[in-house]
Amino acid sequence: LPPSLSRLDLAAVERRPPYTNVIMPSLFGIICFLGIVGNLVVIYTIIKKKKLRCKQTVPDIFIFNLSIVDLLFLLGMPFLIHQLLGNGAWYFGAPLCTIITALDTNSQITSTNILTVMTLDRYLATVHPLKSTYVRTPSVAALVIGLVWLLSFLTIIPVWMYAGLMPLEDGTVRCALLLPNPETDIYWFTIYQFMLAFAIPLLVICMVYFKILQHMATTVVPLPQRSLRARTKKVTRMAVAICSAFFICWAPFYILQLVHLGIDTPSVAFFYAYNFAISLGYANSCLNPFLYVVLSEAFKRQFMVAIRPAKERFQVNSNTNSTTEASVCLKLAPESTQQIQFLEEFSPHSMPLTVAAH
């Protein structure tokens, strides 16, 4: 749980070689910069799409909120970098300690909850594409995301209650969780965090994707629906990549959290491994925007539309008399005849748009 240095034995911090004061902050700084820029690009692209009157899709809402979570998570990195440079000392006061620690924990839990909801959405889109039409709407997705944020804030109540400043012998303070009975409470809190933010979501996501793959392997699709199936596969493939990246990046952190429970005096090697695991967790928030670019041609097109000068967009729009929302999206990306909108997939509401494109 960053600020991470408060969770390690102070002797391990004091024994670390001096060059770690350069390597780890530099690594974290690169991750922070790339992650903030990348997630701002994703957020800007989706907002710009809405301003251009392109219909927002359910995956748009999930990706937008996931980028918000990643951005908030990365905004706490400068404080972690400052701790690394100052041997773990905290100079920003108790209120900011509570806010940063709670925001950090909330981002971890919110991310896994959004990924779980995305997985369930992929299940409905793949296994029950027609029956789920009236459930998989932007308004329902926004409501579900709101409940996810609320649930995440409720689950981190212990962090809001116990995050504070821990005085040290040298007169400095550290940002830490001041649990009532540290020797026993730390076990319950670590397991609590591990189950809610990692184990249970991982189990649910694996089970759902197994059902999706099983359905795709056993279902014979009629010829007219094969383009729909191909587009659904693309969106599902990206969702699988995002979930896989999340759990691969965060698994070392949660494993070391559990290992730490059985270690009385962490070694310097454990200190290195722990900080590397934390850097992997932050790197996941930096990695997601690049996954969108690599795996979604539609997102790349939409980004190019978002950064295109307004004069050029006006010239493109002036070439036709149609002023409907669907035609605006089509003219902004005329080279696309399959997946016009970012992460969009087939539904009865988009049928006229798909027919017009072809």
Side-chain angles (χ1 to χ4, degrees), residues 36-54:
I36 289 177
V37 172
N39 283 287
L40 284 175
V41 167
V42 175
I43 293 170
Y44 171 78
T45 301
I46 297 178
I47 292 177
K48 192 69 173 181
K49 174 184 175 181
K50 186 176 181 180
K51 288 183 177 180
L52 294 174
R53 295 185 178 182
C54 296

Side-chain angles (χ1 to χ4, degrees), residues 61-209:
I61 295 174
F62 293 147
I63 296 299
F64 179 81
N65 280 270
L66 190 59
S67 296
I68 291 290
V69 172
D70 287 338
L71 182 62
L72 293 176
F73 187 57
L74 291 166
L75 289 177
M77 283 198 77
F79 298 94
L80 177 59
I81 294 172
H82 189 274
Q83 281 186 292
L84 289 170
L85 294 174
N87 290 327
W90 182 265
Y91 299 99
F92 305 101
L96 196 55
C97 169
T98 301
I99 293 173
I100 294 298
T101 307
L103 189 63
D104 185 281
T105 310
N106 179 75
S107 297
Q108 296 178 41
I109 296 179
T110 305
S111 295
T112 53
N113 289 339
I114 292 177
L115 292 176
T116 305
V117 171
M118 285 177 61
T119 305
L120 296 174
D121 174 73
R122 291 295 88 214
Y123 175 82
L124 293 176
T126 306
V127 181
H128 304 289
L130 297 180
K131 293 181 181 179
S132 62
T133 300
Y134 298 101
V135 176
R136 297 185 59 254
T137 62
S139 57
V140 173
L143 176 62
V144 171
I145 287 296
L147 294 176
V148 165
W149 280 95
L150 177 61
L151 178 63
S152 299
F153 275 111
L154 293 177
T155 54
I156 64 165
I157 288 178
V159 180
W160 287 107
M161 293 175 59
Y162 298 117
L165 300 181
M166 177 178 65
L168 302 177
E169 295 180 357
D170 60 0
T172 61
V173 294
R174 299 199 176 191
C175 184
L177 285 178
L178 308 177
L179 299 174
N181 300 303
E183 294 183 357
T184 57
D185 291 346
I186 193 62
Y187 288 91
W188 293 112
F189 178 81
T190 302
I191 294 174
Y192 172 80
Q193 186 186 25
F194 171 76
M195 296 300 294
L196 284 183
F198 189 77
I200 294 177
L202 176 61
L203 179 62
V204 173
I205 289 174
C206 288
M207 291 177 60
V208 173
Y209 276 126

